[in-house]
Amino acid sequence: MSHNCCTSDGSCHTSTEIKTIYKVDGVGSAHCQGIVAKAVGGLDEITAVDVEIGTGLVTVTTATAPDEALDALIAKTVDEAGYDFAGRVPA
């Protein structure tokens, strides 16, 4: 997967960015924030991730709309990191 925005003729286009918010229980410190951010941010589908300490809100940025398969992958990844995935936050 290429992250280069320029085409072969030198013109550039902007990529689509879709932000989705999930809730993860147990993110109470910068240490926890870092673990969750590294785990979720390591997924190929995720282009950016922001984890809030205290609220456990995890905002992920993807190039395409997330589907149930991505939700399940994020849930598995969060679980494997030792935290409780509480689901997607309604927009």
Side-chain angles (χ1 to χ4, degrees), residues 20-84:
T20 308
I21 301 173
Y22 298 91
K23 176 87 167 84
V24 175
D25 293 328
V27 183
S29 69
H31 174 76
C32 300
Q33 177 190 40
I35 291 172
V36 173
K38 183 175 181 181
V40 174
L43 298 173
D44 289 342
E45 295 86 344
I46 308 300
T47 57
V49 63
D50 180 61
V51 181
E52 290 184 18
I53 298 171
T55 64
L57 295 178
V58 179
T59 304
V60 300
T61 304
T62 54
T64 59
D67 55 15
E68 288 181 17
L70 181 58
D71 289 356
L73 182 60
I74 291 173
K76 179 177 183 258
T77 301
V78 166
D79 183 60
E80 288 175 352
Y83 296 87
D84 296 319

